[in-house]
Amino acid sequence: MTNNTDQYLVERTLEGDTAAFGELVDRYQNFVFTIAIRILKVTEEAEEVGQDSFIKAYDSLKSFRGDSKFSTWLYRIVYHKSLDRLKMNKRHRTYEIIEEITEDNLDHIENGLEFMLSEERSSIIKNCIDRLPEDEAAIISLYYFEEQSVKEIAKVTDLTEDNIKIKLYRSRKKLFSLLEGYIKPEISDRNGKAI
């Protein structure tokens, strides 16, 4: 077994090698924070939940059976700890009402994105994802940025695969609707030609 696989690092940690767990933290800390911030929307709380999640993962490592990927198991901890923090805070957030868009408009949005610079596009997409409800932002992030399968996301969230597919579909439509506000100035006609 090579020394760079998650399973190897888990085994080394269970044998008392705390540096091995440090490697797992280094490997996953950015995305753990991304999941937490997508749900909590507050940097300090996301950092705390991230730390708490790694502590729980370390303390619970002996219960990791390996029937899913380590990353899926860890993301499940982060997802649930983030939701627990939301419940604890009992914050009431209001969300912008997002109009439904037609499939016809999706082509205009996709064509408009081609006119944006890569960095600007990334910043706009991140901003729009942050405006989605917490659970949808987390699911979109897991699916597109961490490339988790629907089955893996279902394990993380305790939702059915069909429910994840529905949430992904609805979240994409909402995301496209949000993106449309940025893109409309970039397009001028039904063919998506720049102004």
Side-chain angles (χ1 to χ4, degrees), residues 3-195:
N3 63 359
N4 63 352
T5 66
D6 289 349
Q7 188 59 41
Y8 175 80
L9 294 173
V10 166
E11 290 171 9
R12 294 291 307 142
T13 303
L14 290 172
E15 292 171 3
D17 183 357
T18 55
F21 191 76
E23 288 184 49
L24 289 169
V25 171
D26 289 343
R27 185 174 290 176
Y28 293 108
Q29 67 185 348
N30 290 338
F31 204 74
V32 162
F33 176 77
T34 299
I35 292 171
I37 195 72
R38 295 274 191 260
I39 294 172
L40 297 167
K41 312 277 193 230
V42 178
T43 301
E44 294 79 18
E45 289 187 13
E47 289 170 347
E48 286 178 26
V49 164
Q51 290 172 357
D52 291 347
S53 297
F54 279 117
I55 290 169
K56 179 170 180 162
Y58 183 80
D59 291 341
S60 305
L61 201 55
K62 60 187 166 293
S63 70
F64 174 64
R65 295 183 306 252
D67 51 355
S68 65
K69 293 193 290 187
F70 174 79
S71 59
T72 301
W73 182 77
L74 177 62
Y75 298 156
R76 179 182 172 98
I77 292 171
V78 178
Y79 181 81
H80 288 286
K81 281 218 165 274
S82 297
L83 292 180
D84 289 346
R85 177 63 67 100
L86 271 181
K87 289 175 191 170
M88 184 181 76
N89 291 341
K90 295 182 183 173
R91 289 192 178 144
H92 299 286
R93 300 186 198 273
T94 56
Y95 297 104
E96 177 180 331
I97 296 174
I98 301 171
E99 296 178 0
E100 290 293 320
I101 60 171
T102 64
E103 297 296 323
D104 198 35
N105 291 335
L106 293 179
D107 290 333
H108 295 293
I109 293 168
E110 289 173 13
N111 288 334
L113 282 172
E114 294 303 317
F115 294 101
M116 293 181 184
L117 296 172
S118 179
E119 286 181 29
E120 180 184 11
R121 185 170 50 221
S122 294
S123 174
I124 289 170
I125 290 170
K126 181 188 176 302
N127 181 333
C128 290
I129 289 173
D130 287 343
R131 292 171 61 192
L132 291 173
E134 293 90 357
D135 62 331
E136 293 177 12
I139 289 169
I140 287 282
S141 296
L142 284 167
Y143 188 77
Y144 288 104
F145 298 111
E146 193 55 24
E147 298 178 1
Q148 296 279 303
S149 69
V150 169
K151 186 175 186 175
E152 290 167 328
I153 296 170
K155 288 180 184 177
V156 169
T157 60
D158 288 331
L159 299 171
T160 66
E161 290 181 37
D162 287 339
N163 200 331
I164 295 297
K165 289 175 187 175
I166 290 167
K167 283 184 174 284
L168 276 171
Y169 175 77
R170 289 179 181 165
S171 299
R172 281 191 292 254
K173 287 191 76 160
K174 288 178 183 179
L175 187 57
F176 279 126
S177 180
L178 290 168
L179 288 169
E180 187 176 34
Y182 288 98
I183 294 167
K184 274 198 173 181
E186 298 289 329
I187 56 178
S188 64
D189 62 23
R190 304 209 33 96
N191 294 322
K193 303 226 187 228
I195 296 176

